[in-house]
Amino acid sequence: MRLLVLGGTTFVGRWVVTAAVERGWHVTTFTRGLAGWAHPGAEAVTGDRLRPADLAPLAEGRWDAVVDTWAGAPRAVRDSARALAGCADRYVYVSSRAVYAPPTPAGLNEDWPTVEASADAGDIDYAPNKRGGEIAVEEAFGDRAVLARAGLILGPYELPGRLPHWLLRAARGGEMLAPGPAGQPFRYVDVRDLVAWLLDAAEGGVSGQVNLVNPEEHATTRDLLESAVAVTGGLTELVWVEPEAIEAAGIDRWAALPGWIPPGPAQAGLIRTDVGRALATGLRCRPVVETVADTWAWLTGSGETPEFPPGLDPAEERAVIDAWRRSARP
């Protein structure tokens, strides 16, 4: 396989390159050369996809597949897909479940309507950016397009640091706010399992939209957080706080409780997503304890110094826990 990776230096792209090289594929990356990491087994081409002229040399090659992780202006995907439509067999675009128009229903599948978007747009917001990228790939590649609508992606080398947030907080010890309900499905996909599926899809047999997230019964919020406590030394006590108390406190869940989704009709589809098509086309998910342990091993042993958002302020966390305990007293 001759694989072109648009990106390939951080998180998902980095794993795509690594796994493809391990399969013995000929891998070429196209990046601006700013990330500071490059796989020694891949050919590196430098350029800026926001400048269409930089894409022209790629069109002179021949590619079995393209993998694209872009999340910015859809017009960049449009220009890339148009340039490569005549010289690449398949285009695998890493999209997101964020493309679905809210509110999403329980049992959300690939047929649910999507947000308004355009392939010609500049950088807007995440959801229309991803949907605009999908449209661009569909227009250029038709049934040769693979739209991988990933859920929350976790694992080693993660950016922007959702699982690292929980691990670093657990390592600090003490009483830790755990967002309930504890038994709610925690829907995510390990980056390595996602990438294995992407590369299989690049070889053929899959087209169109596919929801890529773990099965509903795979892991709960309790499973994830208890694993985080265990691998970091077990010095933290989880204090389960009900969603109503968290929301009443005005906590920004995106920044302070990353990956947690409060139950309710507005987000039902993100908790109860149908992944039948993903499983039928080869998605296999490793145990949550493995994802958590491997991410902790990377954080503590890689020698890299990634920077992550600060998360929930300790004083605010303490105040929410105390208020919850007072309200829960008989």
Side-chain angles (χ1 to χ4, degrees), residues 11 15 153-164 295 298 306 308:
F11 197 28
W15 278 110
I153 307 173
L154 306 180
Y157 303 109
E158 186 197 326
L159 292 172
R162 288 157 297 208
L163 181 50
T295 305
W298 160 63
F308 302 116

Side-chain angles (χ1 to χ4, degrees), residues 189-232:
V189 62
D190 185 294
V191 63
R192 297 160 295 181
D193 299 330
L194 170 65
V195 164
W197 187 93
L198 295 174
L199 296 184
D200 288 347
E203 293 186 289
V206 183
S207 64
Q209 308 92 341
V210 183
N211 292 331
L212 290 160
V213 67
N214 60 351
E216 190 171 314
E217 67 279 5
H218 183 78
T220 64
T221 307
R222 182 188 299 278
D223 294 331
L224 182 94
L225 296 189
E226 287 186 347
S227 296
V229 170
V231 303
T232 56

Side-chain angles (χ1 to χ4, degrees), residues 83-136:
L84 296 166
C87 63
D89 293 339
R90 301 177 70 75
Y91 200 113
V92 182
Y93 180 62
V94 181
S95 187
S96 168
R97 292 183 304 162
V99 302
Y100 293 113
T104 54
L108 174 70
N109 64 26
E110 291 86 354
D111 296 329
W112 187 253
T114 54
V115 298
E116 293 291 328
S118 169
D120 303 319
D123 192 358
I124 312 172
D125 291 318
Y126 184 72
N129 282 352
K130 281 297 191 182
R131 179 54 189 151
E134 289 188 348
I135 294 169

Side-chain angles (χ1 to χ4, degrees), residues 49-52 55 74-84 119 136:
R49 62 187 299 172
L50 293 175
R51 294 195 296 262
L55 296 167
R75 62 182 177 82
V77 182
R78 176 202 65 192
D79 293 343
S80 301
R82 287 177 180 175
L84 296 166

Side-chain angles (χ1 to χ4, degrees), residues 12-26:
V12 177
R14 178 172 180 160
W15 278 110
V16 168
V17 173
T18 299
V21 170
E22 289 175 352
R23 291 187 181 203
W25 295 7
H26 183 280

Side-chain angles (χ1 to χ4, degrees), residues 60-326:
E60 298 174 4
R62 181 67 207 173
W63 317 100
D64 294 303
V66 179
V67 174
D68 186 355
T69 63
W70 183 259
R75 62 182 177 82
V77 182
R78 176 202 65 192
D79 293 343
S80 301
R82 287 177 180 175
L84 296 166
C87 63
D89 293 339
R90 301 177 70 75
Y91 200 113
V92 182
Y93 180 62
V94 181
S95 187
S96 168
R97 292 183 304 162
V99 302
Y100 293 113
T104 54
L108 174 70
N109 64 26
E110 291 86 354
D111 296 329
W112 187 253
T114 54
V115 298
E116 293 291 328
S118 169
D120 303 319
D123 192 358
I124 312 172
D125 291 318
Y126 184 72
N129 282 352
K130 281 297 191 182
R131 179 54 189 151
E134 289 188 348
I135 294 169
V137 176
E138 288 177 310
E139 289 177 347
F141 278 79
D143 61 6
R144 297 180 294 140
V146 179
L147 307 179
R149 291 176 174 169
L152 186 72
I153 307 173
L154 306 180
Y157 303 109
E158 186 197 326
L159 292 172
R162 288 157 297 208
L163 181 50
H165 161 90
W166 293 111
L167 286 163
L168 294 171
R169 172 60 192 89
R172 201 168 74 229
E175 292 187 327
M176 170 176 150
L177 190 157
Q184 178 171 286
F186 196 91
R187 308 303 295 275
Y188 72 95
V189 62
D190 185 294
V191 63
R192 297 160 295 181
D193 299 330
L194 170 65
V195 164
W197 187 93
L198 295 174
L199 296 184
D200 288 347
E203 293 186 289
V206 183
S207 64
Q209 308 92 341
V210 183
N211 292 331
L212 290 160
V213 67
N214 60 351
E216 190 171 314
E217 67 279 5
H218 183 78
T220 64
T221 307
R222 182 188 299 278
D223 294 331
L224 182 94
L225 296 189
E226 287 186 347
S227 296
V229 170
V231 303
T232 56
L235 300 177
T236 294
E237 177 187 350
L238 298 176
V239 180
W240 293 96
V241 178
E242 290 302 309
E244 296 78 10
I246 293 171
E247 296 190 301
I251 293 174
D252 179 358
R253 68 179 179 88
W254 300 104
L257 305 170
W260 175 67
I261 299 173
Q267 306 284 353
L270 298 183
I271 299 171
R272 310 285 182 184
T273 302
D274 183 343
V275 293
R277 191 168 188 218
L279 298 177
T281 53
L283 178 66
R284 299 294 179 266
C285 297
R286 69 194 65 206
V288 63
V289 293
E290 184 176 335
T291 300
V292 172
D294 290 351
T295 305
W296 181 240
W298 160 63
L299 282 173
T300 56
S302 68
E304 300 184 14
T305 55
E307 294 184 3
F308 302 116
L312 184 60
D313 179 78
E316 185 178 10
E317 179 184 42
R318 181 76 263 157
V320 173
I321 290 174
D322 290 345
W324 166 247
R325 283 187 165 145
R326 287 193 299 270

